Amino acid sequence: MRISALPLTFAALLLAGSAHAEGEGRYRMEKTEAGLVRLDTVSGEISLCREQDGQIVCRMAADERAAFEKELDLLTKRVEALEKGAASGLTAAKPSLPSDEEIDRTMSIMEKMMQRFMGIVKNLEDGEEEAAPGKAVPQKT
């Protein structure tokens, strides 16, 4: 009886949820024979609720609970695999340092670049000194 009332309640909640006003809250509660059904109007999740010791206690519906547990198991396995990989040093490979030849080549390239740059600066400074007072400095760039 309880299972047959659930699809009817769910359908009623979906119809009511589509017509709810903006001022209403996120959750809609509907009474059933077994207690209450809570619908999250944002995510569509359904929870079955009962009153226990003066408080309302809600539990996820069976199909949602199964999907939740499946996702939790997958995430747990991924975390374990990542931890195992980190423990064995597979994920934290240290980068190798460049060889002396690579450093020498890089320094040579940088030295040539700096010499050319300093040459350009010297040419610009020489051009400013040659310009007569009151005469515009020619644009070299």
Side-chain angles (χ1 to χ4, degrees):
M1 174 89 174
R2 192 172 105 196
I3 294 175
S4 64
L6 187 61
L8 293 175
T9 304
F10 179 70
L13 286 173
L14 284 179
L15 292 174
S18 64
H20 83 282
E22 279 187 38
E24 292 184 20
R26 176 176 175 170
Y27 297 99
R28 301 253 317 151
M29 302 285 282
E30 294 292 328
K31 276 193 170 214
T32 65
E33 296 170 5
L36 298 167
V37 175
R38 179 180 72 176
L39 170 67
D40 184 339
T41 58
V42 174
S43 68
E45 293 178 354
I46 296 177
S47 302
L48 303 174
C49 305
R50 292 186 177 176
E51 187 176 340
Q52 292 178 350
D53 301 325
Q55 295 181 349
I56 295 179
V57 179
C58 297
R59 302 197 188 278
M60 284 187 225
D63 56 342
E64 291 176 4
R65 182 71 184 183
F68 172 77
E69 297 220 357
K70 181 179 178 183
E71 183 70 16
L72 184 61
D73 287 341
L74 290 172
L75 291 173
T76 302
K77 289 176 184 175
R78 285 182 60 191
V79 168
E80 288 171 356
L82 289 171
E83 288 175 347
K84 184 184 281 186
S88 65
L90 295 176
T91 58
K94 293 183 180 179
S96 61
L97 296 174
S99 66
D100 288 340
E101 293 82 24
E102 291 172 324
I103 292 173
D104 290 340
R105 183 171 181 266
T106 302
M107 293 304 291
S108 174
I109 292 169
M110 290 176 66
E111 184 179 357
K112 287 179 186 177
M113 185 177 69
M114 287 301 294
Q115 286 174 351
R116 287 182 186 169
F117 178 75
M118 294 307 288
I120 292 170
V121 170
K122 186 176 181 192
N123 286 340
L124 288 174
E125 287 175 350
D126 290 343
E128 288 178 7
E129 291 175 3
E130 292 176 1
K135 212 176 190 189
V137 177
Q139 290 287 349
K140 293 187 178 183
T141 57

